[in-house]
Amino acid sequence: VQLTYALPSPAHMSPLGQQEVDRRAGLLTGWASPGTTVEMTTTHTGPASIESMYEEYLAIPALAESVLDGERRGADATIIGCFGDPGLDGVREVASRPVVGPAAASMALAATLGHRFSVVTVADSIRHPLRRLAFDTGVEAALSSVRAVNLTVLAINGDHDSAYAALAAECKRCLADDDADTLVLGCMSMGFLGAAERLTGELGVPVVNPVRAAVHLAETLHHMGLAPSRRAFPPPPKVTAGTAVADLLLTADPHPTP
Amino acid sequence: VQLTYALPSPAHMSPLGQQEVDRRAGLLTGWASPGTTVEMTTTHTGPASIESMYEEYLAIPALAESVLDGERRGADATIIGCFGDPGLDGVREVASRPVVGPAAASMALAATLGHRFSVVTVADSIRHPLRRLAFDTGVEAALSSVRAVNLTVLAINGDHDSAYAALAAECKRCLADDDADTLVLGCMSMGFLGAAERLTGELGVPVVNPVRAAVHLAETLHHMGLAPSRRAFPPPPKVTAGTAVADLLLTADPHPTP
Amino acid sequence: VQLTYALPSPAHMSPLGQQEVDRRAGLLTGWASPGTTVEMTTTHTGPASIESMYEEYLAIPALAESVLDGERRGADATIIGCFGDPGLDGVREVASRPVVGPAAASMALAATLGHRFSVVTVADSIRHPLRRLAFDTGVEAALSSVRAVNLTVLAINGDHDSAYAALAAECKRCLADDDADTLVLGCMSMGFLGAAERLTGELGVPVVNPVRAAVHLAETLHHMGLAPSRRAFPPPPKVTAGTAVADLLLTADPHPTP
Amino acid sequence: VQLTYALPSPAHMSPLGQQEVDRRAGLLTGWASPGTTVEMTTTHTGPASIESMYEEYLAIPALAESVLDGERRGADATIIGCFGDPGLDGVREVASRPVVGPAAASMALAATLGHRFSVVTVADSIRHPLRRLAFDTGVEAALSSVRAVNLTVLAINGDHDSAYAALAAECKRCLADDDADTLVLGCMSMGFLGAAERLTGELGVPVVNPVRAAVHLAETLHHMGLAPSRRAFPPPPKVTAGTAVADLLLTADPHPTP
Amino acid sequence: VQLTYALPSPAHMSPLGQQEVDRRAGLLTGWASPGTTVEMTTTHTGPASIESMYEEYLAIPALAESVLDGERRGADATIIGCFGDPGLDGVREVASRPVVGPAAASMALAATLGHRFSVVTVADSIRHPLRRLAFDTGVEAALSSVRAVNLTVLAINGDHDSAYAALAAECKRCLADDDADTLVLGCMSMGFLGAAERLTGELGVPVVNPVRAAVHLAETLHHMGLAPSRRAFPPPPKVTAGTAVADLLLTADPHPTP
Amino acid sequence: VQLTYALPSPAHMSPLGQQEVDRRAGLLTGWASPGTTVEMTTTHTGPASIESMYEEYLAIPALAESVLDGERRGADATIIGCFGDPGLDGVREVASRPVVGPAAASMALAATLGHRFSVVTVADSIRHPLRRLAFDTGVEAALSSVRAVNLTVLAINGDHDSAYAALAAECKRCLADDDADTLVLGCMSMGFLGAAERLTGELGVPVVNPVRAAVHLAETLHHMGLAPSRRAFPPPPKVTAGTAVADLLLTADPHPTP
């Protein structure tokens, strides 16, 4: 199986840097099943990281292009490289092969492991968007709470130890106060830090790493010959009528001929 | 009250054309209360119309810029000029004054007029996104059904009579089969055709015109001194930390210095 | 627009007194849009104030008469002058023009301003009735909590400062403990004290004044030519069959002819 | 056990007549368990029958008085004699002993007999009020549908055969189209016609007679020493502070001393 | 009315002992209405008590046999003698007469007494199964919380005073923290200790004894001629096709003829 | 990965027969990922097939033993071999390694592929139990409908062509009438007939084969080092206190020593 892991930002030019991008690509390869290769892509334009809905919307157009590029290079399936599943429904409308969102993948996985799961994410500002993703996935009845460490993505990547401590503290609150029995890390950076595996051991409950949940869901879909429903994510009517995807965007000529 | 009605597309260069844009601007002025002025804006880039989530995401970045431009020119409040409320939460994060989405405005209004309302929109492909908007607004318990005429926005604008007939037919199905007692037109083009007013008379139930619902909600917020909650739509953390909104978008230099 | 604000009690003869009734009428006029006049009416019989469902039911028959009287005097729309929306559905069945309930109006407005709103009201005893109003309006999914100051309506009107302090304290609990981002004052007396406007400034979240929400909804319905759905609030079958509304009430002759 | 069955109308002076009132009182006595006596009371004022929310509200004040009178005569518990449970919460606030609503009683009973129940009632206009009663009782998740025969109460009592035929037809629709497995008759007149028992036999599913469900719930509460929760239905604050229930209603002197 | 109270375990050979079984049988007879007799049965095999789903499943096959045996001896209705309602749906499929589950009976009763009820049970491990029973009964919207004393059934029966103290403490938490107004004891042992009656007096809210709720529901069904719906609990298709219930279980011959 | 696929019945001695058991074992091996082995086990006692809740409960005790046996032989994870997920929660309480239910696995997978899924199963009698499984998994909001072909398991296995035709007909009803965009086969026999793959091609929507969904979920859990939450499925308190699982079942001595 050939997968694309599409980062929704030019992360290599951001403070995150190419080195961290490469480290993550290595982890992905290690986590995938034998026979799976994973290509990690970045965009030419986008926010440095996604910590608000505004940045999420900024990211989507270039992310979609990058998904289609990956398909042209032969990807069997694509993973959106951000826990907010930015543009997942829109990208599925124009993609040819399965596109997987890590939030949907990990929340659906968590739903099979207990009665109620909580998500621990980066910032309070995306708590409602994550509840909306649970609604979109249809698992909101199993969602116990969404809590946030309120650290920036940069801070998480900058000081792993205090990020882990903050994360563990919120996870414990989910168990003690919110009646959760299963946890989901609501941030890919947390996933790439190995926090889920360590917390699973320390807290005695399953803590889902969204990176790995997404990789295995992509593999599963490929093995089973399944793809997201075309009835749920139909192509844009203009595309059905013959317009190329790339021509859906009109741009006013800044120097029109008079 | 000075309002901006922000079209999320370069509609003037689309088949819709400048003439229709002007006709709509005139209607807006007529519908607004005495003392309200409405400026209609278009974007420099975007889809010709929004009939899919993919096109909705393409539209948001330029739409957000156009909202901020309107605020700089003195708008007291902005109306997103598309029933899908594209980017509403993200735009609210970066805007200084109230931003109103017509779907949220008209569904909330419909909720006060009866027990169960239905939305009639353009295409089946946006039925789930509209249910998600009802979830976002918190009125999904009052949403009876979402039905679609399955006409393109262009067809609606091209042949008013058959568009109206298709619309009336779906509205009647909502009343006969879905137990609705109130209706919402799920498309701004339908609103600008005067269909809501005509259907209210013919069907004997209130049919909400989303254009007018949004205008009056914007006026109401201004009169009451209210704005969307900053706790619900906080500014991006990077902006709070000092980054300008315009600098949130990074773009790789296509010709980097070696 | 000519509005009636129908108090569901003979408030002028209650401890509230004619002076306070007049003060409120003045505020209403100031809050309404230019071109709107508001007449404030009281009933000939009813409870001094409504702090229980029992008193709410006592109030409805005379309130309904007073609404119909207002319509006979030319009211374009009526506002029920109590946050419990007493008898709203029943009054709509017999009224000829729009009747607006302030709870429905303010909860629907709050739903458009954030993700989750709380209501702060006078007494614990009406917390469930207010949840039922949220159910009736279809916004219960957005209702975060209902909290009460547990002061009598008289105490609220008697000592404004401690009423405001109690109110502010409960509002802060809604934000800190109940995950609300928007607030609704669940009592008209609180609305007439200017508490919503002051709290909006002090708490940094929108606090809806139900008096003003109801006035602007009534204006909006009038401007848009909309009224509550007749399918939702049909006239009593006996009225359809010819009985006058006033003749629906039978009374046994206390001195029947033998 | 001594029960009061409180009719919310002066039914003896209505077209229903004293004879039918007496016939129903006889049935009640036959249906009650050995050792239970049932007194049937009417009010001095009220609507001839309840077919709308407006008539329901007209009925409540006199009904409440009649419940309190029954308690003074020694009733251990009272049954509200109308399927709409008119004023149930308000009456419970001022009553000293258990008050039972037949809708709540029969819907809760139906919930124990299958997975999904439907209610068949008299008029479309009370379909939403019955859904609200299911919400109030907390059983809305088990409510499959509410259907109506759309006959007046008088017509039901006037032509038993066609009333039964209409009723049976709607019941069959609930089973065939709404996925119900259990039925509730949503009208006391239907209950007193013996329709539930006959339909149970003919349709092969349990059909709950609300009259009998209410009688047995009242007996059960008495045997178990239980009453409605005072936390849910607290006395009016003014009563707690010393005002007599009868003094809660103020009436303006029509001929005030100058 | 002749009832069977079917214990789902060989309680007489467990630490509970025959003496306690006899004491409970005596209480049942005292609680039943005049004219009702109750036979208490135990099984030949099963767990000593049910404190986990695993033990619940172990108990069901022998419990079902014991219900059918009771019917053969003339029972008009059977009460499952465990608050988990073990196997209720399966037993109803093969039983000829009404089978009542105490959880369903007491939760439905509680739903009629207030707005929100909590259940206090023995162990955290069965909190989710009890929520599932509320779902099955259709009353989950009225379920405020499920709390547990986390004592073993043996400990509850061994030290009544500290069991009562633990129980009262959890009940108070439900009232103070979970907004409950009505309580249900989620354990039959608690019911047989008279705790519900004592707590009702001490806490000032109705506390439902599930034993008595089940007895009176069984009596009510018998009086009303109602039984669980055959559409909800149809006989196994093989039984409809002629197989005896006892022959549904195949067992491999441990010493097959070669 | 070494998996056990535990059939909850002595299927080899049932009309299904050893040959079909062997054919299915072969399919499982083919469907599993490289490196996965699957052992198929049957029980020594149980129903021939599960078509009712009564048969499901009959099956669980021996099924649980067979799961524990498989673990003793080295299984890394177990799949319950029946779509009803019989005893899943109870078995998880006593198992040492992950136990996967195919209903939970396939419904969670379906939730990631579209907005609303339907389940098509064998008999109307298990429609409610499947809705309860959706509740247990937390995905009931995404469950569009449950439909049944109403064929016996034997008939499905006896005449593949008409079984397929009946299945396809119900699937089409889910798409046409129930607004589903994704389907789940609610029966393992259907899964082993290759129906999901054929229907996916013919209907143009994803149709989930529960057998394969369960296999890949088991593999995913093993790869990720995750297991069902011990907080959700704790061991029986008696086991924690030292009792062996096998000793939880007491059996009365049929020939007690006097």
Side-chain angles (χ1 to χ4, degrees), chain D residues 11-48:
Chain D
H12 55 294
M13 21 167 334
S14 82
L16 201 64
Q18 185 64 44
Q19 194 172 356
E20 174 64 10
V21 172
D22 293 345
R23 189 185 71 84
R24 292 183 178 191
L27 280 170
L28 276 172
T29 297
W31 282 336
S33 300
T36 299
T37 61
V38 192
E39 175 197 37
M40 184 175 257
T41 63
T42 55
T43 57
H44 66 97
T45 182

Coordinates of all heavy atoms in Angstrom, one line a residue, chain D residues 11-48:
Chain D
A11 N -68.1 19.3 32.5 CA -68.6 18.3 31.5 C -70.0 18.0 31.6 O -70.7 17.7 30.6 CB -67.8 17.0 31.6
H12 N -70.6 18.1 32.9 CA -72.0 17.8 33.1 C -72.9 18.8 32.4 O -74.0 18.5 32.0 CB -72.3 17.8 34.6 CG -71.9 19.0 35.2 ND1 -70.5 19.4 35.3 CD2 -72.6 20.0 35.9 CE1 -70.5 20.6 36.0 NE2 -71.7 20.9 36.3
M13 N -72.4 20.0 32.2 CA -73.2 21.0 31.5 C -72.9 21.1 30.0 O -73.5 21.9 29.3 CB -73.2 22.4 32.1 CG -72.0 22.7 32.9 SD -71.8 24.5 33.3 CE -72.6 25.2 31.9
S14 N -71.9 20.3 29.6 CA -71.5 20.3 28.2 C -72.4 19.3 27.4 O -73.2 18.5 28.0 CB -70.0 19.9 28.0 OG -69.9 18.5 28.1
P15 N -72.2 19.2 26.1 CA -72.9 18.2 25.3 C -72.7 16.8 25.8 O -73.5 15.9 25.6 CB -72.4 18.4 23.9 CG -71.9 19.8 23.9 CD -71.4 20.1 25.2
L16 N -71.5 16.6 26.5 CA -71.2 15.3 27.0 C -72.3 14.8 28.0 O -72.9 13.7 27.9 CB -69.9 15.3 27.7 CG -69.1 14.0 27.9 CD1 -68.7 13.4 26.6 CD2 -67.9 14.2 28.8
G17 N -72.6 15.7 28.9 CA -73.8 15.5 29.8 C -73.5 14.7 31.0 O -72.5 13.9 31.1
Q18 N -74.4 14.8 32.0 CA -74.2 14.2 33.3 C -74.3 12.7 33.2 O -73.6 11.9 33.9 CB -75.3 14.7 34.3 CG -75.2 14.1 35.7 CD -74.0 14.6 36.4 OE1 -73.6 15.8 36.3 NE2 -73.2 13.7 37.0
Q19 N -75.1 12.2 32.2 CA -75.2 10.7 32.1 C -73.9 10.1 31.7 O -73.5 9.0 32.3 CB -76.3 10.5 31.0 CG -76.8 9.0 31.0 CD -78.0 8.9 30.0 OE1 -78.4 9.8 29.4 NE2 -78.5 7.6 29.9
E20 N -73.2 10.7 30.8 CA -71.9 10.1 30.4 C -70.9 10.2 31.5 O -70.1 9.3 31.8 CB -71.4 10.9 29.1 CG -70.0 10.5 28.7 CD -69.8 9.0 28.2 OE1 -70.8 8.3 28.1 OE2 -68.7 8.6 28.1
V21 N -71.0 11.4 32.3 CA -70.1 11.5 33.4 C -70.4 10.3 34.4 O -69.4 9.7 34.9 CB -70.3 12.9 34.1 CG1 -69.6 13.0 35.4 CG2 -69.9 14.0 33.2
D22 N -71.6 10.0 34.6 CA -72.0 9.0 35.5 C -71.5 7.6 35.0 O -71.0 6.8 35.7 CB -73.5 8.9 35.8 CG -73.9 10.2 36.6 OD1 -73.1 10.9 37.1 OD2 -75.1 10.4 36.6
R23 N -71.7 7.4 33.7 CA -71.2 6.1 33.1 C -69.7 5.9 33.3 O -69.2 4.9 33.7 CB -71.5 6.1 31.6 CG -71.3 4.7 30.9 CD -71.5 4.8 29.4 NE -70.5 5.5 28.7 CZ -69.3 4.9 28.4 NH1 -69.0 3.7 28.6 NH2 -68.4 5.7 27.8
R24 N -69.0 7.0 33.1 CA -67.5 6.9 33.3 C -67.1 6.7 34.7 O -66.2 5.9 35.0 CB -66.9 8.2 32.8 CG -67.0 8.4 31.3 CD -66.3 9.6 30.8 NE -66.4 9.7 29.3 CZ -65.8 10.6 28.6 NH1 -64.9 11.4 29.2 NH2 -65.9 10.6 27.3
A25 N -67.9 7.3 35.7 CA -67.6 7.1 37.1 C -67.8 5.6 37.4 O -67.0 5.0 38.2 CB -68.5 7.9 38.0
G26 N -68.8 5.0 36.8 CA -69.0 3.6 37.1 C -67.9 2.7 36.5 O -67.4 1.8 37.2
L27 N -67.4 3.1 35.3 CA -66.3 2.3 34.8 C -65.0 2.4 35.7 O -64.3 1.4 35.9 CB -65.9 2.8 33.4 CG -66.9 2.3 32.2 CD1 -66.6 3.1 31.0 CD2 -66.6 0.8 32.0
L28 N -64.8 3.6 36.1 CA -63.6 3.8 37.0 C -63.6 2.9 38.2 O -62.6 2.3 38.6 CB -63.6 5.3 37.5 CG -62.9 6.3 36.5 CD1 -63.2 7.7 37.0 CD2 -61.4 6.0 36.4
T29 N -64.8 2.8 38.8 CA -65.0 2.0 40.0 C -64.7 0.5 39.6 O -64.0 -0.2 40.4 CB -66.4 2.2 40.6 OG1 -66.5 3.6 41.0 CG2 -66.6 1.3 41.8
G30 N -65.2 0.1 38.5 CA -65.0 -1.3 38.1 C -63.5 -1.6 37.8 O -63.0 -2.7 38.0
W31 N -62.8 -0.6 37.2 CA -61.4 -0.8 36.8 C -60.4 -0.7 38.0 O -59.3 -1.3 37.9 CB -61.0 0.3 35.8 CG -61.5 -0.1 34.4 CD1 -61.9 -1.3 33.9 CD2 -61.8 0.9 33.3 NE1 -62.3 -1.2 32.6 CE2 -62.2 0.1 32.2 CE3 -61.6 2.3 33.2 CZ2 -62.6 0.7 31.0 CZ3 -61.9 2.9 32.0 CH2 -62.4 2.1 30.9
A32 N -60.8 0.0 39.0 CA -59.9 0.2 40.2 C -59.7 -1.2 40.9 O -60.6 -2.0 40.8 CB -60.4 1.3 41.1
S33 N -58.7 -1.3 41.6 CA -58.4 -2.5 42.4 C -59.4 -2.6 43.6 O -59.9 -1.5 44.0 CB -57.0 -2.5 43.0 OG -56.1 -2.4 41.9
P34 N -59.6 -3.8 44.1 CA -60.5 -3.9 45.3 C -59.9 -3.0 46.4 O -58.7 -2.9 46.6 CB -60.3 -5.3 45.7 CG -59.9 -6.1 44.5 CD -59.1 -5.0 43.7
G35 N -60.8 -2.2 47.1 CA -60.3 -1.4 48.1 C -60.1 0.1 47.7 O -59.8 1.0 48.5
T36 N -60.2 0.3 46.4 CA -60.0 1.7 45.9 C -61.4 2.3 45.5 O -62.2 1.6 44.9 CB -59.2 1.7 44.6 OG1 -57.9 1.2 44.9 CG2 -59.0 3.1 44.0
T37 N -61.6 3.5 46.0 CA -62.9 4.2 45.6 C -62.4 5.4 44.7 O -61.4 6.0 45.0 CB -63.7 4.7 46.8 OG1 -62.8 5.6 47.5 CG2 -64.1 3.6 47.7
V38 N -63.2 5.7 43.8 CA -62.9 6.9 42.9 C -64.1 7.8 42.8 O -65.2 7.5 42.5 CB -62.6 6.4 41.4 CG1 -62.0 7.5 40.7 CG2 -61.7 5.2 41.4
E39 N -63.8 9.1 43.2 CA -64.8 10.2 43.1 C -64.5 10.9 41.8 O -63.3 11.3 41.5 CB -64.6 11.1 44.3 CG -65.5 12.3 44.2 CD -65.1 13.4 45.2 OE1 -63.9 13.6 45.4 OE2 -66.0 14.1 45.8
M40 N -65.5 11.2 40.9 CA -65.3 11.9 39.7 C -65.8 13.4 40.0 O -67.0 13.5 40.4 CB -66.0 11.3 38.6 CG -65.8 12.0 37.2 SD -66.5 11.1 35.9 CE -65.1 10.3 35.1
T41 N -64.9 14.3 39.7 CA -65.4 15.7 39.9 C -65.3 16.5 38.6 O -64.6 16.2 37.7 CB -64.5 16.4 40.9 OG1 -63.1 16.5 40.4 CG2 -64.4 15.7 42.3
T42 N -66.2 17.5 38.5 CA -66.2 18.5 37.4 C -65.9 19.9 38.0 O -65.9 20.1 39.2 CB -67.5 18.5 36.7 OG1 -68.6 18.8 37.6 CG2 -67.8 17.1 36.0
T43 N -65.7 20.8 37.1 CA -65.4 22.2 37.5 C -66.6 23.0 37.3 O -67.5 22.7 36.6 CB -64.2 22.8 36.7 OG1 -64.6 22.7 35.3 CG2 -62.9 22.0 36.9
H44 N -66.6 24.2 38.0 CA -67.7 25.1 37.8 C -67.6 26.0 36.5 O -68.5 26.5 36.0 CB -67.9 26.0 39.0 CG -66.7 27.0 39.2 ND1 -66.7 28.3 38.7 CD2 -65.5 26.7 39.7 CE1 -65.5 28.8 39.0 NE2 -64.7 27.9 39.6
T45 N -66.3 26.0 36.0 CA -66.1 26.8 34.8 C -65.0 26.1 34.0 O -64.1 25.5 34.6 CB -65.7 28.3 35.1 OG1 -65.6 29.0 33.9 CG2 -64.5 28.4 35.9
G46 N -65.0 26.3 32.7 CA -64.0 25.7 31.9 C -64.5 25.4 30.5 O -65.7 25.7 30.2
P47 N -63.7 24.9 29.6 CA -64.1 24.6 28.2 C -65.0 23.3 28.2 O -64.9 22.5 29.1 CB -62.8 24.4 27.5 CG -61.9 23.8 28.5 CD -62.3 24.5 29.8
A48 N -65.8 23.2 27.2 CA -66.6 22.0 27.1 C -65.7 20.8 26.9 O -66.0 19.7 27.4 CB -67.6 22.1 25.9

